[in-house]
Amino acid sequence: MTSFAELVRYLAERFLQAGIESAALDARLLAAYAAGFSPEETVTKRDAALPPEVLDRAVEAARRRFAGEPVSRIVGAREFWGMPFGLSADTLDPRPDTEVLVEATLAWCRKHDLAGAPLRILDLGTGTGCILAGLLSELPNASGVGVDRSEGALRTARQNFARIGLDSRAFFLCGDWGDALADATFDIITCNPPYIETGDIAGLCPEVRDFDPLLALDGGKDGLKAYRDIVPQASRLLRVSGLLIFETGHRQARLVRDMLTELDAGFQTEIFPDLAGIERAVAGVRQSGGDGGRGKKKVGNPIGSG
């Protein structure tokens, strides 16, 4: 009978022959998925003989990988901020770069001694709920609301929060950005909106184009439609001195920053790079003045810890 280690070697060789760059990692993850092994068991049971049904599952998983489906979609989960998040056809596959939003928000909380405060967090376009869950896991007295236009995405988010034990501190609403929250105000608003230009979607890598939901990708002709819809709502939904933070696409960060600084409520802003050094997140702290920031003294690094 074939052992787990032999199955990993076989899959890795086949993936490498198919030109899959992450052949060794994909082979290990898919073999573990087929066998139902935990990360620890992939080491302690590497020589264990596998029954035929496991091999059948591995073959089917490999077939899907050859067809371009991402490993996370095949296994149905992705790790984000050290926690596993279930995926569905209605949710984006969380990327490591999105953790920048969590890191920057936590830095702002620490700087202003708010890590233990009863903060109210709004996550627009919540998807799997990964951003909101990352924050609630680090802010023990905070609570949150996740909003999404997709009922399917909200079902996935609720399941994720129940699985990781955060469901008592959050609830989820179906709606178009902040429209369903007429009278609510929040201390923090986070958002990873669709920001791909419509004309660029056909050229995306197959793992994104063919498996992430179009609703979560298409940002309109210039990729900025969602920001134009959301930014005017920020003054209504965010308390004075509260934090608004967006994920942005390539070459969009400064355009989104300009939208914030032009608001009548006035925002002091900062841009954060991702792991590759690309400007990935725009954060703004709402000011008490009503002149949209015009004529206001600029304050260096108002959000981060340094």
Side-chain angles (χ1 to χ4, degrees), residues 84-230:
F85 288 87
L87 307 179
S88 70
D90 301 290
T91 65
L92 277 178
D93 184 348
R95 271 79 175 184
D97 289 337
T98 301
E99 292 189 351
V100 171
L101 274 70
V102 179
E103 293 168 353
T105 301
L106 293 176
W108 176 78
C109 291
R110 289 191 295 267
K111 179 176 182 179
H112 297 283
D113 196 25
L114 295 172
L119 300 170
R120 300 184 69 205
I121 303 171
L122 172 62
D123 186 32
L124 295 173
T126 196
T128 61
C130 64
I131 296 171
L132 182 58
L135 290 172
L136 294 184
S137 72
E138 303 284 350
L139 302 170
N141 295 316
S143 60
V145 176
V147 175
D148 205 287
R149 290 178 287 180
S150 167
E151 287 282 8
L154 293 172
R155 282 194 297 271
T156 302
R158 291 186 185 104
Q159 291 166 0
N160 283 329
F161 270 63
R163 186 181 306 112
I164 60 182
L166 291 172
D167 50 318
S168 65
R169 294 169 55 201
F171 68 95
F172 298 90
L173 296 173
C174 188
D176 192 9
W177 306 126
D179 288 349
L181 298 161
D183 299 322
T185 56
F186 296 87
D187 302 288
I188 297 168
I189 300 175
T190 62
C191 183
N192 178 16
Y195 53 69
I196 306 298
E197 296 179 19
T198 301
D200 290 343
I201 289 176
L204 295 174
C205 65
E207 286 88 347
V208 175
R209 182 192 64 219
D210 297 339
F211 296 97
D212 276 338
L214 182 62
L215 185 66
L217 295 175
D218 192 346
K221 185 176 180 180
D222 63 358
L224 299 172
K225 181 182 185 303
Y227 303 103
R228 291 194 198 92
D229 292 342
I230 297 167

Side-chain angles (χ1 to χ4, degrees), residues 10 19 37 69 79-80 89-90 111 121 131 146 150 173 175 221 226 231 244 251 256 259 261 281 284 291 299:
Y10 172 75
F37 283 1
E69 189 169 354
E79 183 174 294
F80 182 92
D90 301 290
K111 179 176 182 179
I121 303 171
I131 296 171
S150 167
L173 296 173
K221 185 176 180 180
V231 164
L244 169 67
R251 297 192 301 271
V256 174
M259 291 183 194
T261 56
D291 63 353
V299 179

